[in-house]
Amino acid sequence: MKVDQVAHGSSALVIASVLIAAFWSSATLAADSSEFGLRLVGQTNSQSDADQNKRPRTIANPSADERKRPGKDVEQNVLDMVDKHLPEVKTLLDQLRKRAPKQYDMAIRSLARSARRLQTAEKRGEEAFQLELQIIKAQSSLNLLIAKLKLRDSESDREALAAATENLAEAELAKMKHDLATLKSRIKRMQQQVSEAEARIKTRESDFAAMLKKNLELNLRKTGRKPNVSQ
């Protein structure tokens, strides 16, 4: 799906804000994306600091900590992920970087979560990486469609939303199955380790007296003494 087919100018910024809100928190998307989009394109008046302090923390009203600029390494990790795997998000980030720097920083912090998940999955192997990537791509496509439908209702977008919803569910199910298979494999290895440990204990118990006598003789030799005849 190409962003230039969605909207241009301020509408693209509204889509960008809604998309990032979806990445940030699905719980706050419906309540705040419309207002955030309006604020982003300058269609509402700025509020006083006192009024801002009364507002709840959301994507439109971040805390002081959330307003801090993300580190360069965090930003680069996100940009690397976006460049390689999320071209539609890259276009929207470019819009935010040029016209809404604060929202751009918030977007980077939000997308950093996906980047970290992807890096963690990569350490677990290629299959885990690909499964996590499919989830991130599916979520991105779904969020973009949500943003489009918030701006303009369309039957084709409704159909695409249904397909995207199914794609995400299937991707999540595939990852769940993979995680279960991985867990079973770990359990099997642990059961094998338990069996081996039990066998070692059984062997030790069966020749415990002989082993104890041998160890005592060795320890006496270290002292330069000979064992007693009774021993």
Side-chain angles (χ1 to χ4, degrees), residues 17-61:
S17 71
V18 177
L19 177 65
I20 299 309
F23 270 108
W24 184 275
S25 171
S26 59
T28 61
L29 173 63
D32 297 305
S33 57
S34 296
E35 179 185 358
F36 178 36
L38 291 173
R39 288 164 60 82
L40 186 58
V41 297
Q43 295 178 7
T44 61
N45 296 325
S46 61
Q47 296 176 305
S48 66
D49 291 341
D51 190 26
Q52 284 285 352
N53 290 335
K54 296 177 183 178
R55 297 181 58 79
R57 290 173 55 186
T58 65
I59 183 68
N61 184 48

Side-chain angles (χ1 to χ4, degrees), residues 73-118:
D73 55 338
V74 172
E75 181 180 15
Q76 191 57 54
N77 286 340
V78 169
L79 294 179
D80 288 344
M81 177 188 71
V82 168
D83 285 342
K84 293 178 182 177
H85 308 298
L86 303 173
E88 71 280 6
V89 175
K90 182 180 186 303
T91 303
L92 296 175
L93 282 178
D94 289 341
Q95 291 270 356
L96 290 176
R97 184 191 295 111
K98 295 173 184 176
R99 303 178 62 181
K102 290 183 179 179
Q103 281 72 25
Y104 171 79
D105 290 345
M106 293 165 65
I108 292 298
R109 285 193 294 271
S110 176
L111 291 166
R113 302 171 187 177
S114 295
R116 287 194 296 269
R117 282 167 41 205
L118 203 56

